[in-house]
Amino acid sequence: MGRPLIPQITDIATPIATELGLEVVAIVFHTHERPPALRIDIRNPNADTGLQDCERMSRALEAALDTTEVIPFAYSLEVSSPGTSRELTTDREFNAFGGFAVQVTTHQPIDNKTEWQGQLIRRDETTIYLSQKGRTIQIPRELVSKVYLDDNC
């Protein structure tokens, strides 16, 4: 295969998701599995992502992938939601999940703490802003190890 598959699959999956009112969150192709497993994580920006969303995306994407023959060998297709333990890494994810409960882990303590929970306000070039019971917490990005969605807040 001359070109990597993920960009080609993304080019096929993204317009399908958009047409269905969904967003592609992540695409991973586990080629070490037998058969290889293509996993597409989606989310419904207007409601909780449900089984029907995954089924609609799976059927539409499977048909498109079969038609284009971008994957010329047998594989399994898994369409799911990213779940609540999803790590946020991109600006797009931080924008999309503004207002959601998150857990922030720092590699150095701030006020003797390395774990912070709250509602994500935003992220800029230097700081991640959380709301904790109406109080704004500012965490310097250079101290942040990970930021996860958290349904326990």
Side-chain angles (χ1 to χ4, degrees), residues 17 20-26 39-58 78-84 86 96-97 100 149:
L20 296 172
L22 305 169
E23 294 178 350
V24 174
V25 176
R39 180 184 170 114
I40 312 283
D41 287 347
I42 60 164
R43 80 175 190 97
N44 184 331
N46 302 312
D48 289 338
T49 306
L51 184 57
Q52 289 180 342
D53 294 320
C54 295
E55 288 175 2
R56 290 183 308 128
M57 181 66 180
S58 180
E78 303 170 11
V79 177
S80 64
S81 68
T84 57
R86 170 124 172 91
F97 291 104
F100 280 69
L149 290 178

Side-chain angles (χ1 to χ4, degrees), residues 15 17 27 43-44 53 56 59 78 90 92-93 98-99 101 108-110 113 119-120 124 133 135-136 145 147-148:
I27 298 177
R43 80 175 190 97
N44 184 331
D53 294 320
R56 290 183 308 128
R59 287 192 179 105
E78 303 170 11
T90 67
R92 183 170 188 253
E93 290 171 335
Q108 291 181 359
I110 302 169
K113 291 174 64 174
Q119 303 301 116
L120 177 64
D124 62 25
K133 298 179 183 174
R135 194 176 109 214
T136 300
S145 300
V147 179
Y148 285 96

Side-chain angles (χ1 to χ4, degrees), residues 18-35:
T18 301
E19 185 176 310
L20 296 172
L22 305 169
E23 294 178 350
V24 174
V25 176
I27 298 177
V28 179
F29 202 4
H30 298 283
T31 55
H32 64 280
E33 295 181 13
R34 294 292 172 246

Side-chain angles (χ1 to χ4, degrees), residues 87-147:
E87 183 177 0
L88 303 181
T89 56
T90 67
D91 288 337
R92 183 170 188 253
E93 290 171 335
F94 276 87
N95 289 333
F97 291 104
F100 280 69
V102 294
Q103 180 171 344
V104 177
T105 305
T106 58
H107 54 81
Q108 291 181 359
I110 302 169
D111 296 333
N112 297 320
K113 291 174 64 174
T114 58
E115 291 190 0
W116 302 83
Q117 292 180 326
Q119 303 301 116
L120 177 64
I121 298 172
R122 72 180 195 283
R123 174 179 85 164
D124 62 25
E125 287 77 29
T126 61
T127 309
I128 294 177
Y129 300 87
L130 302 181
S131 174
Q132 287 183 335
K133 298 179 183 174
R135 194 176 109 214
T136 300
I137 305 296
Q138 298 181 25
I139 303 171
R141 282 182 65 174
E142 72 265 7
L143 299 181
V144 173
S145 300
K146 294 185 179 187
V147 179

